[in-house]
Amino acid sequence: MDTDVPITKCIDDRLGRVGIARHIADMLIGAPADHSIVFGLSGSWGSGKTSVLNMVGELLSEASDPPVVVRFDPWNYPAGSDLVTPFLTSLASEIRKYNLKSRMKKRAEEALEAIADYVDALKPVTPRGMSSLVNLVQVRLARKKRKEERKTLAELKEQIGNSLLSLHLRVVIMIDDLDRLSNDTVCSIFQLVAAVADFSRVSYLLAYDRSNILRALRAVQQCDGDEYLEKIIQVPLELPEPAVGALSAMLQEGVERVVSHVQLSRSELKRVGLSVNDATSRVRTVRDVRRILNLFEADWRASVEKVAPGDLLSMSVLRIVYPKILPWIRTQAPGLSGGTGGGYLVSDAERCKKQYLEALGELLGDCGTADDALRLLVAVFPRVANACGLHAVSVSEAKLRIDRRIACPEILRNYLSGSMEAYAFPRELAIALLHSGSVDELKAILDEESNDVALTLVAVAGETAADMDEDRRSTFARAIIRSNPGESDGTGLLSLPFYGYESCLEKLFSAMGEGAASELLASEIKGLDFSHLAKMAHFVNGQELAYGRLAGKSEKPSEQLISLACLKRVERSIAQTLCDAQLSVEYLVIEGSRMLLYLWSCFDQRTYAARVTEGLLLDPLAYLLYASYQLGLYHSADETGWAFPVDFGNDISMERVVDSFDGALRSDAFWTLGQSVKLKLAGLRICVERLLEGAVSYSEASASCEQCEKLLDQWTERYAEGRG
């Protein structure tokens, strides 16, 4: 934890304010000697005024002829108490400490006596507990038994000024935190500075928040605070806000200090960086930074380090900037947390965003802050991003769990209840398997796509690929290639694009080097069946693009993970396997089959045309499955469904799609398809019909899951008798 303690030395300055402090110190040293002058340093709470005053004091002490510096703190005295006597006592005490030459001691004693006389004139009875200096001076005065008449206050003030002039002594009096005093005390300080203690060779440096001071003056003096302040402050100075880069560096260093003993993955480090950027854009002072870091550290410890640090930092920013929002998150948790499929309808998103802004505006009392709060929520909760149309995020609940994201419903519940120690991750088991499992053992785990341990294995292997030994990298890469493909409904590894097998395989190959990766891939891909080749299709296409082949417009050497010779061998293996395969409708349901067919069309156009275009796709159901690749799943605030994210493909006829449904629905193969595939085909029918009506655009030609279910029920009822 970092307490809100100001720096005391220039060497500790991290905000580039030494220059400001030096400028102020030079002005104080060069201030007129024949009268008092008041400098006012204005800045918001937490902006670092005290630190600047400390640096000014240090620089003044290093001057060739340093002045006497008096730090007077009105906070040490109860509201309403006399401040004049302790103020003058502090001044006398510092003069007495000053190392004067022996020939000046007599004049110094005269100055002290003059101050004591002034104290006595202003307040005849000195309170008990006064400084020993004042007591000694008063004893001296009692012994002396002055015979001269008592002088007026004006004469006593002049006597003090003359004494300081004769000493060639310059005095700088600093008073901090004026804005934290009561209204009456603020006015008393200004009266003290401007009238009671405006001695020659005495300069004042006052630090305050201008807006608070003005409110105090208006309340007590019943006047224009600006005009009043102008009469008191001869040299107004404004402390500029810290540089954004300096605050960002403090945030970054603070976060790194908190999590220094934990090794974060690249994705976690990236998320922390984004959170630091979000925090930087919302902090104005060092105090803001410290408060956020302190809450972040407290949450990190309380969560038993089981939550993604980037999310915890974003939550800390939310809770510091908008203190009212945490109770609101508790009530809204079911709608905020959870995974999302990545799509949304524009009309629904606009409506949902408006609802969020209205709710947050009512909570926070400002539409501007509501918009900012919403953007912070989006950084933590992907479902909010999708629902409001701010980002099309595709993330499953399993991935949220693996990433330790607060958006995972179970993690959010434990975070809000403060019981993270009861939450267990499958990471430890995954790491043990990764470092000891054989190819077959790892493959068996990976075949269980919905298993948290399997998903975590892929995540951990990708994160630690560079640190694994060569044998472990090779073992896990082979296990990934040999594992079963993901399910067609998107629940398998392919539904986790970042932590999925492709991303992990790329990291493993990158760590292995081109030679070893090429040798392994060439040997493993030979003899793979259609479903396993479909799982590899996206990776192969990525390598084609990296070499500037197929649709690639230019080479990208940094993305080339295998050799060109190996890539050509892979092409031949794919073409040969597909030429020999007995293609059927079932192949078109396999995840990645669309990309695999595309690659085949590039590698062997003649055979592809004969076997697919003029062969397999003549089957009505096969044609519909092929056409359904154009659909994308969307999620809005109220519903989920299917829509065309891009224009309909040139190789698909909408009229033929409609005509194919009757034959497809009469085939037994349609009714053996999985429920999710049948619902998608129902969505295809609805979307295409809406396009043919000509009343909507591609993005608006959507079909909700409810509409798809209703249409599928109608088909079931209509064709039940014929199939029976």
Side-chain angles (χ1 to χ4, degrees):
M1 297 293 179
D2 190 3
T3 57
D4 191 17
V5 178
I7 63 172
T8 58
K9 297 182 179 180
C10 295
I11 195 173
D12 297 324
D13 174 45
R14 299 177 59 190
L15 301 179
R17 286 175 165 171
V18 172
I20 298 172
R22 181 170 286 108
H23 175 62
I24 296 174
D26 291 343
M27 288 193 294
L28 288 168
I29 292 173
D34 56 345
H35 63 274
S36 176
I37 188 166
V38 182
F39 295 78
L41 179 63
S42 175
S44 60
W45 282 6
S47 59
K49 299 185 295 295
T50 303
S51 295
V52 172
L53 261 60
N54 290 341
M55 290 190 290
V56 170
E58 180 188 11
L59 292 168
L60 289 175
S61 68
E62 296 173 352
S64 57
D65 185 16
V68 171
V69 177
V70 181
R71 297 295 292 264
F72 182 65
D73 189 358
W75 271 64
N76 291 332
Y77 309 96
S81 62
D82 168 52
L83 294 177
V84 174
T85 301
F87 171 80
L88 292 173
T89 302
S90 298
L91 173 61
S93 179
E94 292 300 326
I95 292 176
R96 183 172 180 268
K97 294 177 184 177
Y98 194 73
N99 186 23
L100 297 170
K101 297 178 181 178
S102 58
R103 63 185 178 85
M104 305 290 284
K105 285 184 177 180
K106 183 177 180 181
R107 293 182 181 179
E109 290 177 357
E110 291 175 353
L112 295 176
E113 290 179 3
I115 294 174
D117 285 342
Y118 195 41
V119 171
D120 186 56
L122 288 169
K123 190 172 185 179
V125 181
T126 303
R128 295 185 66 181
M130 193 54 59
S131 165
S132 60
L133 168 71
V134 176
N135 291 331
L136 288 172
V137 170
Q138 289 179 330
V139 170
R140 177 185 177 85
L141 293 176
R143 262 198 327 263
K144 187 175 181 181
K145 294 183 180 180
R146 297 182 180 84
K147 297 179 180 179
E148 63 268 19
E149 296 181 358
R150 185 178 294 277
K151 296 180 180 179
T152 65
L153 289 176
E155 290 172 334
L156 290 171
K157 282 175 59 178
E158 184 179 359
Q159 182 180 344
I160 294 173
N162 291 335
S163 298
L164 296 177
L165 283 171
S166 65
L167 284 170
H168 301 291
L169 189 64
R170 184 180 293 278
V171 178
V172 173
I173 300 175
M174 298 183 186
I175 305 178
D176 196 6
D177 290 331
L178 290 182
D179 43 33
R180 298 176 183 272
L181 302 173
S182 67
N183 293 348
D184 289 332
T185 306
V186 168
C187 293
S188 297
I189 291 293
F190 281 140
Q191 181 183 12
L192 175 67
V193 169
V196 177
D198 54 333
F199 309 124
S200 300
R201 299 190 72 84
V202 173
S203 298
Y204 289 89
L205 177 57
L206 312 181
Y208 50 81
D209 183 322
R210 180 181 175 86
S211 59
N212 290 341
I213 291 296
L214 292 178
R215 281 195 294 270
L217 293 174
R218 289 166 187 155
V220 175
Q221 300 295 331
Q222 301 297 316
C223 67
D224 187 306
D226 289 289
E227 292 182 359
Y228 189 102
L229 194 59
E230 288 175 2
K231 294 177 181 178
I232 305 297
I233 306 298
Q234 285 85 43
V235 185
L237 303 168
E238 186 75 26
L239 185 62
E241 290 186 352
V244 173
L247 294 179
S248 178
M250 290 184 69
L251 274 165
Q252 185 71 43
E253 291 174 14
V255 173
E256 290 175 356
R257 172 182 56 80
V258 172
V259 301
S260 60
H261 61 292
V262 178
Q263 184 175 1
L264 302 179
S265 67
R266 288 185 179 180
S267 62
E268 286 178 319
L269 289 172
K270 181 179 179 181
R271 197 174 297 118
V272 168
L274 293 174
S275 299
V276 168
N277 290 338
D278 285 341
T280 300
S281 65
R282 292 167 175 84
V283 297
R284 295 290 179 270
T285 68
V286 174
R287 181 167 296 151
D288 293 340
V289 172
R290 285 171 174 161
R291 292 179 69 212
I292 289 173
L293 287 175
N294 285 342
L295 180 56
F296 167 67
E297 183 171 359
D299 276 354
W300 177 251
R301 305 303 179 206
S303 70
V304 204
E305 304 175 3
K306 288 185 176 182
V307 181
D311 280 0
L312 282 180
L313 182 57
S314 293
M315 288 294 289
S316 298
V317 176
L318 266 169
R319 292 170 60 183
I320 291 296
V321 178
Y322 304 112
K324 296 180 180 179
I325 206 164
L326 187 61
W328 181 85
I329 289 176
R330 282 195 176 95
T331 62
Q332 302 295 320
L336 298 175
S337 60
T340 176
Y344 55 84
L345 290 179
V346 175
S347 57
D348 285 347
E350 291 175 350
R351 175 168 49 82
C352 185
K353 181 181 179 182
K354 182 179 179 181
Q355 291 173 348
Y356 269 111
L357 290 175
E358 288 176 351
L360 291 170
E362 183 177 351
L363 175 72
L364 305 174
D366 183 10
C367 293
T369 57
D371 184 71
D372 182 66
L374 179 59
R375 294 189 179 279
L376 281 173
L377 284 169
V378 163
V380 181
F381 301 106
R383 179 173 286 185
V384 179
N386 261 41
C388 296
L390 298 176
H391 300 293
V393 184
S394 178
V395 59
S396 69
E397 190 169 314
K399 183 177 185 300
L400 291 174
R401 184 179 298 109
I402 291 171
D403 287 350
R404 300 179 296 166
R405 298 291 303 275
I406 281 181
C408 174
E410 187 175 359
I411 294 178
L412 180 60
R413 285 195 300 272
N414 284 279
Y415 169 79
L416 294 174
S417 64
S419 57
M420 282 304 300
E421 67 279 356
Y423 185 71
F425 289 88
R427 193 177 185 87
E428 290 73 19
L429 178 57
I431 292 175
L433 285 168
L434 184 63
H435 288 87
S436 62
S438 65
V439 173
D440 290 338
E441 289 172 334
L442 292 170
K443 176 187 177 300
I445 295 293
L446 293 177
D447 285 345
E448 302 178 48
E449 297 91 351
S450 60
N451 186 331
D452 280 353
V453 176
L455 299 174
T456 308
L457 260 177
V458 178
V460 174
E463 294 170 13
T464 62
D467 301 323
M468 296 166 63
D469 60 43
E470 184 176 348
D471 176 67
R472 287 289 92 194
R473 281 195 293 259
S474 175
T475 297
F476 198 73
R478 295 179 192 278
I480 285 182
I481 295 173
R482 297 178 191 180
S483 62
N484 291 332
E487 298 292 337
S488 59
D489 61 2
T491 61
L493 291 178
L494 284 175
S495 64
L496 301 178
F498 188 82
Y499 280 126
Y501 81 93
E502 184 180 349
S503 175
C504 181
L505 195 62
E506 288 175 351
K507 293 175 182 177
L508 291 168
F509 279 179
S510 178
M512 292 168 64
E514 182 183 285
S518 298
E519 182 179 349
L520 185 148
L521 180 61
S523 64
E524 288 293 323
I525 206 167
K526 187 176 182 180
L528 290 182
D529 59 19
F530 186 98
S531 61
H532 286 80
L533 286 176
K535 191 180 71 171
M536 295 295 299
H538 287 84
F539 172 81
V540 174
N541 185 62
Q543 291 302 292
E544 295 284 357
L545 298 178
Y547 278 100
R549 296 159 66 85
L550 304 186
K553 296 181 180 179
S554 60
E555 288 193 27
K556 300 176 182 178
S558 62
E559 298 178 11
Q560 296 170 5
L561 302 177
I562 59 174
S563 67
L564 182 58
C566 173
L567 185 60
K568 291 180 178 180
R569 290 175 63 185
V570 169
E571 293 173 359
R572 290 194 293 271
S573 294
I574 290 176
Q576 185 62 50
T577 298
L578 296 183
C579 285
D580 296 340
Q582 297 295 319
L583 298 180
S584 63
V585 171
E586 288 74 16
Y587 283 137
L588 298 178
V589 179
I590 296 173
E591 187 88 50
S593 59
R594 176 69 177 89
M595 178 60 71
L596 182 60
L597 292 176
Y598 162 73
L599 293 175
W600 189 16
S601 70
C602 296
F603 302 157
D604 188 353
Q605 293 181 2
R606 179 178 300 178
T607 306
Y608 175 83
R611 297 287 308 282
V612 179
T613 307
E614 301 300 329
L616 179 62
L617 296 187
L618 294 180
D619 181 287
L621 180 56
Y623 190 78
L624 293 179
L625 290 170
Y626 185 82
S628 69
Y629 294 142
Q630 304 291 336
L631 286 180
L633 195 64
Y634 76 81
H635 296 265
S636 68
D638 303 322
E639 63 182 21
T640 301
W642 298 95
F644 289 107
V646 294
D647 290 353
F648 212 76
N650 294 329
D651 58 340
I652 299 296
S653 164
M654 288 186 287
E655 290 78 6
R656 184 180 169 188
V657 167
V658 175
D659 293 341
S660 298
F661 268 98
D662 185 62
L665 293 171
R666 294 181 183 280
S667 68
D668 291 336
F670 177 87
W671 301 101
T672 60
L673 295 173
Q675 182 74 0
S676 60
V677 179
K678 290 186 288 188
L679 287 172
K680 185 176 183 180
L681 291 178
L684 175 67
R685 176 63 179 263
I686 295 171
C687 293
V688 168
E689 285 185 339
R690 289 182 175 178
L691 284 174
L692 289 174
E693 291 172 359
V696 291
S697 65
Y698 280 100
S699 61
E700 295 172 324
S702 61
S704 69
C705 285
E706 183 179 358
Q707 293 168 334
C708 295
E709 290 172 355
K710 184 177 180 180
L711 180 57
L712 183 56
D713 288 341
Q714 293 174 357
W715 287 345
T716 303
E717 183 178 353
R718 184 182 308 170
Y719 291 93
E721 184 177 350
R723 290 188 295 111

